[in-house]
């Protein structure tokens, strides 16, 4: 902008109702009363030097505008995709909090089922999972938006109460008091009514944010297009007018400016399109697989917990439908992850079979046999078989989440580079077009 | 074998009769309904379940034991070679799982084992299904179990869905309060004005509590054990329920006491599928025999140290017609 101030020799005219922010220094007095076309007419109808300096100003401005707006557009896509990456990470974190909590609950109820002398490894697992959830919760609260901040606080509060209930259940169980089961049930219920739904709705908010980021990235493309078209029209139009005025067909500097803009446009379009396509691939590939796998793990652990709870509360062959619902949901999500390009995970099927055997034992009246199968640690116990699924799905989840983050991450660096390039190209074009018009103007002095 | 059993049965009947007369003599308020254990309620009162009113003579009346053979009774069970029963698994001392052995134990459980012993000659020919309180009658109606013994009160309403044995244990509605409140002499609901009292939501107890005692703040929970958690966490000051169930909770908490006079009688009966008259009669015969001796042993074993109620088996009331 400061360049243009130096360039335009004529004194600034009275503000002639100009809707365009360019400092249209129209010297012609009379016809300036008309509006847009009139102003344009006035630009072209003054004395030749005045006309040229006006054209020069507009062109330089357009080049600068191209550099700035184009760079902003590219940067906007870069940062939108970075937001998408961060929100995708947040989503994984939120789902892992849910998984950890359900896992802690599954471990607590499984340990309870084993009686007052609980298995130390399960006790440890409960503590580790709960601690991991608490850690992730702090990170998630930091990374989350303001609209969820309150939810995280509430979840934290409830988790403290949950831990208290589970400890009371253990203490009573240790004294062989059946009232411990009531504490365990209240704890499980608290987790499922006041913690998991809140986390699941924050997950939904976060998923929505990922989609918003993708939309923002789309809009950045439109902005870039507008900047390109405007700059090219002004540059081309300026050269056409200049050629008519001075009867020379090639102005080297203006040609350089045009080439700079064109080159930046091509590179910008190429990287932006590439980045968007890559992001789209991530969304339908690793990101979709990550979200589905994380959900599948939550459902599977929920089912595992339900297996123990059913035995503890002994609906006796009663409510296995809750288990079935969780397992079906896990299966559906695993299939979804697979169709998004993830590996096929079959480790849930063997556990289904073990669970079926546990139910058969319990329904036939062999509760103790069922409990032994459910709480044992042998190779064909429910715990061991489920662990196979847990580690297989965890490995696949890690792989997909890393792939999503990495692929979105590379777009960021390349787009930022492109933004700088566009900015530089805009500056080069501005300087070149200023010089181009200055040469012609000198001829009139 | 059968001859000997019949002999035993006759002897047991005689002892039961004597015991019932004795009990009737010892329990002043109950003399009217139990002049003898073979008391027959006037036909008009015992006719249809719909005409049943909540008076002891009508709701408590079950079928005469008669002479039902074990074979005939076995034919009325679901499996024929094992007795399938519904019990509670979290009612301390009545039906609960001993955490150390994972065995179901308690007074209800042992009464049912006695029925299995009489049916099959082996108290272990029994398969337990744990039923929730609200599923007690449903489990019978759905043919999931042959018998249910789970602190179930005999009422006219339940007679419409299932049949009952004679009463095998008499509970009463009482209060569970904190030990410091008990020391202060709190015995009744009136003394708890303005404080929070817990009852189960499903049944009539919460509604009647709110209606009859507007001075207290009634709190409802779906399950009685939830009331206990609320009680131990200080959310409620007292719990209203059957003294036998409350005594089980008090046994798990040295700071809880069962206090006060009984607010209402809760006669427990063994539930039998509706129309399964032979099995009901057989169970009544077993109960007659138990009243003569084993009943007291079981009572002492499971409830003696938690209840200050005298160890007297409630008398049998008969007169219902199939």
């Amino acid at each position: 902008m400061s360049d243009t101030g130096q360039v335009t020799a004529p004194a600034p005219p009275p503000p002639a109702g100009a809707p365009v922010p360019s400092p249209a220094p129209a010297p012609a007095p009379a016809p300036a009363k008309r509006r847009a076309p009139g102003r344009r007419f006035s630009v072209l109808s003054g004395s030749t030097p005045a006309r040229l300096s006006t054209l020069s100003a507009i062109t330089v401005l357009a080049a600068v505008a191209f550099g700035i707006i184009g760079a902003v557009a590219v940067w906007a896509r870069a940062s939108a995709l970075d937001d998408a990456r961060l929100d995708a990470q947040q989503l994984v974190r939120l789902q892992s909090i849910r998984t950890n909590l359900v896992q802690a609950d599954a471990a607590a109820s499984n340990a309870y089922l084993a009686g007052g002398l609980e298995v130390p490894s399960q006790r440890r697992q409960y503590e580790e999972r709960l601690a991991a959830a608490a850690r992730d919760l702090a990170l998630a609260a930091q990374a989350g938006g303001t609209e969820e901040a309150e939810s995280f606080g509430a979840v934290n509060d409830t988790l403290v109460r949950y831990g208290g209930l589970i400890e009371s259940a253990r203490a009573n169980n240790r004294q062989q008091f059946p009232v411990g089961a009531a504490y365990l049930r209240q704890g499980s219920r608290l987790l499922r009514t006041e913690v998991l739904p809140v986390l699941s709705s924050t997950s939904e908010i976060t998923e929505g944010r990922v989609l918003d980021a993708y939309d923002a990235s789309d809009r950045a493309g439109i902005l870039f297009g507008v900047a390109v078209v405007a700059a090219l029209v002004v540059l081309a139009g300026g050269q056409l007018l200049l050629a008519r005025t001075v009867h020379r067909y090639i102005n080297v500097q203006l040609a350089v400016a045009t080439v700079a803009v064109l080159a930046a446009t091509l590179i910008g379009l190429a990287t932006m399109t590439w980045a968007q396509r890559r992001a789209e691939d991530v969304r339908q590939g690793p990101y979709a697989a990550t979200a589905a796998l994380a959900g599948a793990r939550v459902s599977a652990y929920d089912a595992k917990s339900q297996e123990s709870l059913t035995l503890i509360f002994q609906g006796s062959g009663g409510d296995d439908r809750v288990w079935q619902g969780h397992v079906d949901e896990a299966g559906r999500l695993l299939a979804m992850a697979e169709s998004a390009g993830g590996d096929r995970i079959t480790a849930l099927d063997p556990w289904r079979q073990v669970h079926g055997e546990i139910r058969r034992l319990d329904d036939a009246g062999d509760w103790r046999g069922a409990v032994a199968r459910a709480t044992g640690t042998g190779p064909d116990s429910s715990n061991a078989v489920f662990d196979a699924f847990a580690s297989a799905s965890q490995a696949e989840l890690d792989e997909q989440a890393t792939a999503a983050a990495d692929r979105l991450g590379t777009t960021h660096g390349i787009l930022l580079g492109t933004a700088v390039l566009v900015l530089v190209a805009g500056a080069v074009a501005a300087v070149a077009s200023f010089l181009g018009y200055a040469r012609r103007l000198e001829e009139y002095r | 074998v059968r001859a000997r059993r019949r002999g035993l049965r006759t002897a047991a009947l005689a002892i039961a009769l004597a015991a019932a007369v004795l009990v009737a003599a010892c329990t002043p308020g109950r003399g009217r309904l139990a002049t003898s254990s073979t008391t027959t309620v006037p036909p008009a009162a015992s006719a249809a379940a719909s005409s049943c009113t909540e008076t002891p003579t009508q709701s408590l009346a079950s079928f005469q034991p008669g002479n039902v053979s074990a074979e005939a009774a076995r034919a009325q069970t679901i499996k024929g070679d094992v007795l399938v029963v519904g019990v509670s698994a979290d009612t301390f001392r009545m039906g609960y799982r001993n955490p150390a052995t994972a065995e179901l134990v308690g007074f209800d459980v042992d009464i049912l084992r006695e029925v299995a012993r009489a049916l099959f000659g082996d108290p272990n020919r029994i398969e337990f299904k744990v039923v929730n309180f609200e599923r007690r009658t449903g489990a019978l109606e759905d043919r999931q179990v042959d018998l249910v013994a789970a602190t179930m009160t005999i009422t006219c309403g339940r007679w419409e869905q299932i049949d009952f044995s004679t009463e095998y244990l008499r509970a009463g509605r009482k209060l569970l309060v904190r030990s410091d409140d008990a020391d202060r002499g709190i015995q009744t609901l009136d003394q708890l004005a303005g404080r929070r009292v817990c009852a189960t939501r499903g049944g009539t107890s919460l509604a009647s509590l709110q209606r009859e005692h507007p001075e207290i703040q009634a709190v409802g929970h779906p399950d009685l054990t939830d009331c206990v958690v609320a009680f131990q966490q200080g959310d409620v000051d007292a719990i209203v329920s059957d003294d036998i169930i409350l005594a089980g909770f008090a046994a798990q908490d040295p700071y809880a006491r069962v206090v006060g006079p009984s607010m209402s009688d809760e006669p427990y009966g063994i539930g039998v599928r509706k129309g399964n008259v032979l099995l009901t009669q057989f169970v009544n015969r077993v109960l007659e025999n138990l009243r003569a001796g084993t009943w007291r042993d079981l009572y002492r074993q499971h409830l003696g140290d938690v209840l200050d109620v005298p160890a007297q088996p409630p008398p049998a009331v008969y007169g219902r017609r199939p």
Side-chain angles (χ1 to χ4, degrees):
Chain A
M1 294 279 177
S2 56
D3 301 69
T4 49
Q6 291 162 358
V7 178
T8 45
V20 187
S22 63
K33 287 229 165 78
R34 292 204 220 148
R35 303 190 59 162
R39 192 182 60 79
R40 189 158 174 265
F41 182 63
S42 75
V43 166
L44 303 175
S45 63
S47 69
T48 307
R51 234 188 307 165
L52 281 183
S53 50
T54 310
L55 257 181
S56 163
I58 291 174
T59 313
V60 168
L61 255 182
V64 168
F66 165 78
I68 291 173
I69 297 175
V72 164
V74 178
W75 173 82
R77 175 158 292 180
S79 86
L81 293 182
D82 202 42
D83 283 350
R85 181 179 65 88
L86 291 175
D87 284 328
Q89 272 178 354
Q90 171 83 339
L91 186 69
V92 172
R93 199 178 287 128
L94 287 171
Q95 297 287 53
S96 108
I97 295 173
R98 285 171 71 192
T99 318
N100 275 325
L101 288 178
V102 178
Q103 204 176 344
D105 196 54
S109 34
N110 204 270
Y112 187 96
L113 199 45
L117 286 176
E118 45 188 19
V119 187
S121 65
Q122 277 171 358
R123 170 70 192 157
R124 233 179 355 261
Q125 199 186 15
Y126 162 78
E127 281 170 346
E128 282 169 7
R129 293 303 105 202
L130 202 60
R135 271 196 305 274
D136 276 346
L137 196 63
L139 290 175
Q142 240 170 22
T146 45
E147 48 183 323
E148 310 102 280
E150 221 166 284
S151 317
F152 288 126
V155 164
N156 214 15
D157 277 0
T158 316
L159 278 187
V160 173
R161 277 165 58 210
Y162 168 77
L165 288 169
I166 297 295
E167 288 313 308
S168 299
R170 287 186 65 223
N172 277 297
N173 201 21
R174 190 90 190 178
Q175 300 182 69
Q176 311 196 336
F177 290 159
V179 72
Y183 279 96
L184 188 71
R185 176 169 48 199
Q186 285 217 343
S188 275
R189 199 187 290 155
L190 189 69
L191 192 71
R192 281 174 178 74
T193 55
E194 287 185 38
V195 176
L196 298 182
V198 174
L199 286 175
S200 133
S201 72
T202 40
S203 291
E204 275 163 29
I205 293 175
T206 310
E207 271 181 75
R209 215 172 271 151
V210 172
L211 297 186
D212 287 351
Y214 269 88
D215 287 348
S217 173
D218 260 342
R219 284 196 299 276
I222 299 169
L223 184 66
F224 188 76
V226 168
V228 166
V229 169
L232 286 179
V233 163
V234 170
L235 272 172
Q239 277 172 92
L240 206 68
L241 288 173
L242 190 65
R244 269 206 216 146
T245 314
V246 300
H247 305 294
R248 284 195 205 173
Y249 294 104
I250 298 287
N251 175 310
V252 180
Q253 287 84 355
L254 278 178
V256 166
T258 312
V259 167
V261 168
L262 266 177
T265 300
L266 286 178
I267 293 173
L269 277 179
T271 55
M272 279 184 90
T273 312
W274 166 80
Q276 192 73 1
R277 189 166 300 159
R278 198 175 171 95
E280 202 54 50
D281 285 349
V282 168
R283 175 157 77 167
Q284 279 162 19
Y287 171 72
T290 303
L293 277 168
R297 282 170 56 78
V298 173
S299 292
Y301 273 108
D302 233 346
K304 180 72 173 74
S305 181
Q306 197 61 45
E307 180 178 278
S308 301
L309 292 176
T310 305
L311 285 172
I312 292 171
F313 302 123
Q314 301 169 45
S316 239
D319 227 358
D320 212 34
R321 278 167 308 183
V322 181
W323 179 90
Q324 192 64 51
H326 289 315
V327 166
D328 288 349
E329 175 70 0
R332 190 183 67 80
L333 288 168
L334 284 179
M336 221 161 146
E338 193 190 336
S339 69
D343 286 346
R344 182 187 211 101
I345 292 178
T346 52
L348 197 59
D349 299 334
W351 181 64
R352 276 185 167 178
Q353 281 174 11
V354 173
H355 176 83
E357 286 161 30
I358 289 175
R359 290 313 322 154
R360 268 194 293 286
L361 284 172
D362 189 26
D363 290 346
D366 186 4
W367 185 81
R368 296 163 80 179
V371 168
R373 196 77 195 275
T375 58
T377 47
D380 65 342
S381 68
S382 174
N383 287 329
V385 175
F386 187 84
D387 275 350
F389 163 78
S391 50
S393 59
Q394 179 69 61
E396 177 67 8
L397 175 66
D398 287 346
E399 195 183 315
Q400 296 293 341
T402 312
D406 284 355
R407 284 197 221 169
L408 282 175
T410 50
T411 65
H412 191 241
I414 289 173
L415 282 175
L416 282 188
T418 309
V420 172
L421 192 91
V422 170
L423 197 62
V424 169
V428 166
V431 171
S433 32
F434 170 69
L435 292 176
Y437 282 106
R439 286 267 312 264
R440 294 286 90 79
L441 273 166
E442 268 167 24
E443 290 166 3
Y444 290 91
R445 293 211 170 119
Chain B
V1 176
R2 195 176 296 168
R4 207 180 69 203
R5 190 176 284 154
R6 196 169 298 147
L8 264 174
R9 221 180 275 148
T10 324
L13 182 63
I15 296 169
L17 261 164
V21 171
L22 205 77
V23 168
C26 297
T27 23
R30 222 171 270 156
R32 179 176 45 84
L33 64 106
T35 42
S36 92
S37 72
T38 48
T39 302
T40 307
V41 174
S46 65
S50 56
S51 72
C52 173
T53 51
E54 299 287 357
T55 60
T57 39
Q58 292 189 5
S59 63
L60 292 187
S62 183
F63 309 118
Q64 285 281 0
N67 272 329
V68 179
S69 68
E71 280 92 348
R74 281 204 291 265
Q76 291 215 341
T77 59
I78 302 173
K79 292 192 176 171
D81 59 344
V82 60
L83 183 66
V84 186
V85 296
V87 291
S88 159
D90 57 1
T91 311
F92 205 36
R93 305 300 177 100
M94 290 299 283
Y96 71 104
R97 210 174 273 283
N98 180 345
T101 61
E103 294 265 17
L104 281 164
V105 288
F107 187 83
D108 279 338
V109 170
D110 277 355
I111 291 277
L112 289 170
R113 280 191 188 278
E114 290 303 322
V115 178
R117 190 201 301 275
L119 269 176
F120 300 103
D122 180 356
N124 294 322
R125 289 279 282 273
I126 192 164
E127 189 178 306
F128 292 104
K129 300 245 182 221
V130 176
V131 291
N132 298 333
F133 270 34
E134 65 267 28
R135 280 287 301 154
R136 288 178 297 190
T137 53
L140 285 168
E141 290 176 297
D142 299 348
R143 295 185 68 89
Q144 287 175 339
V145 293
D146 296 315
L147 301 175
V148 168
T151 62
M152 183 156 59
T153 305
I154 305 171
T155 63
C156 287
R158 291 201 177 112
W159 265 111
E160 288 178 16
Q161 297 164 298
I162 58 172
D163 287 347
F164 277 105
S165 71
T166 52
E167 178 184 4
Y168 69 93
L169 191 62
R170 172 66 58 102
R173 287 185 89 67
K174 288 191 183 170
L175 272 177
L176 184 82
V177 296
R178 286 157 36 158
S179 54
D180 58 345
D181 281 337
D183 291 343
R184 244 174 261 139
I186 286 183
Q187 296 270 317
T188 59
L189 279 170
D190 319 343
Q191 292 168 291
L192 287 168
R195 299 177 67 183
R196 295 162 65 82
V197 179
C198 194
T200 47
R201 204 180 283 150
T204 52
S205 52
L206 181 66
S208 66
L209 199 61
Q210 281 166 329
R211 194 177 51 247
E212 290 160 24
H213 293 277
E215 74 276 9
I216 58 153
Q217 290 186 53
V219 178
H221 275 294
D223 213 291
L224 202 61
T225 50
D226 295 324
C227 279
V228 177
V229 171
F231 175 78
Q232 291 190 340
Q233 295 190 324
D235 291 340
V236 299
D237 299 306
I239 304 174
V240 177
S241 187
D242 299 2
D243 54 356
I244 286 173
I245 301 174
L246 292 180
F249 289 138
Q252 302 175 58
D253 184 347
Y255 296 101
R257 303 256 176 87
V258 183
V259 297
S262 179
M263 291 176 256
S264 67
D265 282 344
E266 303 292 334
Y268 290 165
I270 298 176
V272 190
R273 190 163 47 256
K274 189 113 203 115
N276 224 352
V277 180
L278 287 181
L279 189 57
T280 313
Q281 288 177 304
F282 187 84
V283 170
N284 282 344
R285 169 68 60 212
V286 173
L287 289 178
E288 285 292 347
N289 295 344
L290 288 179
R291 283 188 189 97
T294 317
W295 189 95
R296 279 181 183 76
D297 295 340
L298 294 180
Y299 186 91
R300 251 195 305 280
Q301 184 190 340
H302 294 292
L303 301 164
D305 59 331
V306 293
L307 281 181
D308 51 357
V309 207
Q312 297 289 354
V317 181
Y318 299 112
R320 187 171 298 263
R321 288 189 196 144

